[in-house]
Amino acid sequence: MPKALMELGLVEALDDMLNKSLRLNEIQFQFEHFGIEGRLNERIEISLYRVAQELVNNIIKHAKANNITIQLFKNAGKVILVVEDNGVGIKPSASNGHGLLNMKSRINAVNGEMNLEPSPNSGTMATIRIPI
């Protein structure tokens, strides 16, 4: 488990990961979060962190994006993570990749759901919803 996640919680750990990963690759990003006070269930925090990490790594490697928007918030008894990029979009063949299968497995383990779809700004938008 990342030290920042263990010690500081999900918001700070995501902020740390985004700064380290995206600034090195000169990708602009916005991270918005609201309604996340205190800690979530440890399994949920780990799952969301690892899925966000995989999404960001995929964007860096494959999307050719120069801008990413990440939102984390609570709504109607769920924690929701939205990751949107302005890259080339996800290829249909990617739906069978190990990374995507791992993300879906992590989300399923906490009774969540994950949707990948074209972003209104081109690219891809991933939406993860987990009941809390």
Side-chain angles (χ1 to χ4, degrees), residues 45-132:
E45 285 190 347
I46 293 169
S47 295
L48 284 171
Y49 180 86
R50 292 296 184 201
V51 167
Q53 190 175 44
E54 181 72 22
L55 288 167
V56 167
N57 286 336
N58 286 344
I59 292 168
I60 292 168
K61 289 179 188 176
H62 306 294
K64 299 178 183 159
N66 62 13
N67 198 306
I68 301 173
T69 302
I70 301 99
Q71 297 177 328
L72 179 69
F73 58 96
K74 287 182 186 177
N75 187 22
K78 295 182 180 182
V79 62
I80 301 169
L81 175 69
V82 179
V83 179
E84 182 177 2
D85 70 68
N86 68 345
V88 298
I90 190 167
K91 296 176 184 165
S93 62
S95 63
N96 294 326
H98 291 295
L100 188 56
L101 293 174
N102 285 339
M103 287 188 285
K104 287 181 178 181
S105 175
R106 284 185 183 278
I107 298 306
N108 287 339
V110 289
N111 300 314
E113 61 185 47
M114 178 173 161
N115 297 321
L116 287 175
E117 56 194 57
S119 162
N121 300 322
S122 78
T124 303
M125 181 167 62
T127 306
I128 295 98
R129 293 177 185 86
I130 300 174
I132 50 174

